[in-house]
Amino acid sequence: MGDDLGDEWWTHEGNSGASEVEEETQLEKQPTKKPNTKTKPEKRKSVTEKTVKAKKTKKNEQKECIIPQKKETEDENSTKPKRKRKKTITDVLSSSEPKPGCPADLQSLVTQYFSDKRSVIEQEELKLLDSCFLSSNDLTHTLSSYLKQVCPKWSKIQKQHTEKSSVVLLIVCSSALRAIELIKQLTAFKGEAKALKLFAKHIKIEEQVKLLQKGVTHIGVGTPGRISALIEKEGLGLQALRYVVLDWNWRDQKLRRMVDVPEVKLDFMKLLESGILNGCKEDKIKIGLF
């Protein structure tokens, strides 16, 4: 009997121990499953994928909407008539043959410029007689050959000139570079005469005044703006002036003459008013168109 009871107790204890072990293992296994934590990220992934797809579809829809608008604007631009470019002085002059200047050209320029600045009586006084002009260049002359023609007694004139701060011959051109070119072309004509640069580039007006006062200058070559300024400051006098030669027919890279450039034209008219026109009327000054 004792042995039977001991066996029953042992078997009971063994069964209860085994069941406890099974329960513990089941409890350990249950937390590892975590169904809620696994399902949540899957939902987030699906949501983010849906939002990305939705954004892509919106972008594609926007692109599809923008593309036809560009095409419409291109079609509208293609149908619009193109504006014609306005003709410039260069276009007009390039299509026309160069013609030598004459006294009538200068006279018409003067009357046109002063038409709204002077009264009718004053405009009549501005008119110059044919005797005020030298013969014009027919586009076959160099500067030296032209001056020899219009100033045949130059050697005698230059020897008689002894006044300082004044010149006998004044050559008016549009730019400093052109003035330097003309001075080089004077070599065959000027002889022992002294020529002076009368332009503003790299030369102060005070220096030019000193040079004119220092010695006798026979020829002045420069721009109308600087020559007018020298006359205003009394650095250059007109008492000995006999010839004014205008670089009339020369054209720059844009085929413009001296009087075709607005700012040069304005300075040129100012120069004529500074005493040259009055000198022509008094038969002291002659104008030549080179």
Side-chain angles (χ1 to χ4, degrees):
M1 288 292 287
D3 294 332
D4 294 334
L5 288 168
D7 293 334
E8 285 177 4
W9 178 83
W10 177 254
T11 54
H12 178 73
E13 288 292 326
N15 291 331
S16 64
S19 62
E20 284 176 1
V21 170
E22 288 176 0
E23 286 177 2
E24 286 177 359
T25 55
Q26 286 177 0
L27 288 169
E28 287 176 357
K29 287 178 181 179
Q30 282 176 0
T32 56
K33 290 179 184 180
K34 294 180 183 180
N36 294 330
T37 55
K38 285 183 180 180
T39 53
K40 283 180 183 179
E42 288 175 0
K43 285 181 182 180
R44 285 177 185 174
K45 284 181 182 179
S46 61
V47 170
T48 54
E49 286 175 0
K50 285 179 183 179
T51 53
V52 169
K53 287 179 181 179
K55 286 179 180 178
K56 286 181 178 179
T57 52
K58 283 181 180 179
K59 285 181 180 179
N60 292 328
E61 286 175 0
Q62 287 175 355
K63 286 180 180 179
E64 289 175 0
C65 295
I66 292 165
I67 289 164
Q69 288 178 358
K70 287 182 179 178
K71 287 180 180 178
E72 286 175 3
T73 54
E74 287 174 0
D75 294 334
E76 287 175 1
N77 292 329
S78 61
T79 54
K80 285 181 180 179
K82 292 182 179 179
R83 291 181 179 178
K84 290 183 179 179
R85 189 171 66 88
K86 291 182 179 180
K87 285 187 177 182
T88 60
I89 295 172
T90 307
D91 296 330
V92 174
L93 293 174
S94 60
S95 60
S96 60
E97 293 182 1
K99 293 180 181 180
C102 61
D105 295 333
L106 177 59
Q107 190 66 66
S108 63
L109 182 71
V110 171
T111 53
Q112 185 181 0
Y113 178 79
F114 290 108
S115 61
D116 57 345
K117 299 174 180 66
R118 297 286 186 275
S119 63
V120 178
I121 297 168
E122 288 173 337
Q123 287 179 36
E124 288 292 327
E125 292 176 355
L126 291 171
K127 287 183 179 180
L128 299 174
L129 299 174
D130 293 337
S131 59
C132 298
F133 293 93
L134 300 167
S135 61
S136 301
N137 180 20
D138 58 359
L139 304 182
T140 61
H141 285 283
T142 62
L143 181 60
S144 288
S145 65
Y146 174 72
L147 291 174
K148 284 178 181 179
Q149 180 184 341
V150 297
C151 306
K153 297 179 181 179
W154 174 251
S155 59
K156 184 180 178 181
I157 292 168
Q158 72 166 359
K159 287 177 183 178
Q160 291 175 349
H161 176 60
T162 57
E163 292 185 37
K164 295 180 180 180
S165 301
S166 184
V167 295
V168 179
L169 171 61
L170 196 58
I171 301 172
V172 185
C173 58
S174 59
S175 66
L177 291 173
R178 179 60 178 164
I180 293 167
E181 288 178 12
L182 292 173
I183 289 170
K184 290 177 182 178
Q185 293 178 24
L186 283 171
T187 307
F189 168 76
K190 69 176 184 177
E192 296 177 359
K194 183 182 176 182
L196 188 64
K197 302 170 186 175
L198 301 178
F199 51 77
K201 192 174 184 180
H202 306 308
I203 305 173
K204 293 180 180 179
I205 192 168
E206 290 80 11
E207 293 176 6
Q208 290 170 337
V209 171
K210 287 178 182 179
L211 288 170
L212 288 164
Q213 291 173 349
K214 189 176 180 180
V216 177
T217 306
H218 303 85
I219 305 169
V221 185
T223 55
R226 176 49 63 92
I227 295 169
S228 298
L230 286 167
I231 293 169
E232 283 181 5
K233 288 198 170 187
E234 297 182 355
L236 177 64
L238 302 179
Q239 61 273 11
L241 184 63
R242 293 185 63 176
Y243 304 104
V244 176
V245 174
L246 308 176
D247 190 28
W248 188 272
N249 297 301
W250 183 81
R251 299 180 187 274
D252 61 10
Q253 291 180 350
K254 296 181 180 180
L255 301 177
R256 299 176 301 178
R257 301 170 301 170
M258 176 176 64
V259 292
D260 293 326
V261 183
E263 56 270 21
V264 179
K265 179 183 174 182
L266 187 65
D267 291 336
F268 174 63
M269 291 299 170
K270 188 178 178 182
L271 175 61
L272 291 179
E273 282 187 291
S274 64
I276 291 174
L277 290 176
N278 290 332
C280 290
K281 287 178 185 180
E282 294 171 2
D283 202 22
K284 292 180 181 179
I285 299 171
K286 304 284 185 182
I287 297 176
L289 275 62
F290 172 65

